Amino acid sequence: MVTCLVRVDWQDELVVSPITRAPDDVLVHLRRARDLADREYAAPLDLDRLASAAGLSKYHFLRVFRATYGVTPAEYVSRRRIERAQDLLRATNLTVTEVCHAVGFSSLGSFSSRFRSVVGESPSDFQTRYAATGAPHIPGCVLFMWGLVESSATQEKRDRPRRP
């Protein structure tokens, strides 16, 4: 539970009371940071950048964000990335590694473990399940051409020196 200190009006003592959500004037700022996380989920987003978007100190931002939305900013960004990964795994023919990099994870291992903890199955099992019953997949080249996913995963493969 997140708490804040509140002064009792006629006494000089402090009483601890729980924050249930951000006040209305702060809620606008939290939404600005949440919108940034929704828009730029694939970019590196840390607490400093989100707090800066909200115009709050990072410690106050963390407390109020968690009290208002029920998750920390890092958990929110991670869940948003997993939601986007689910969309890509369902609708495209991208590999799990390409999806991992396209949604902002830098490690396939951390992506897979986080995906499994949120969704309940591995990314490859999820993709296989939807490949059998879902609609035809959008070719990955179309996604890259239209800029719907970043090409960093495939670019890294091309930039590596080839072995003779």
Side-chain angles (χ1 to χ4, degrees), residues 31 115 120:
R31 286 186 186 133
F115 191 95

Side-chain angles (χ1 to χ4, degrees), residues 24-50:
D24 290 337
D25 59 329
V26 176
L27 196 56
V28 173
H29 300 290
L30 289 180
R31 286 186 186 133
R32 192 177 310 138
R34 192 184 67 186
D35 290 344
L36 173 70
D38 289 340
R39 207 174 38 252
E40 298 185 24
Y41 61 88
L45 290 172
D46 59 0
L47 185 61
D48 290 326
R49 183 163 177 213
L50 292 170

Side-chain angles (χ1 to χ4, degrees), residues 3-9 11-18:
T3 58
C4 73
L5 299 176
V6 179
R7 181 176 289 281
V8 177
D9 59 322
Q11 297 174 348
D12 283 335
E13 63 184 77
L14 297 176
V15 178
V16 177
S17 65

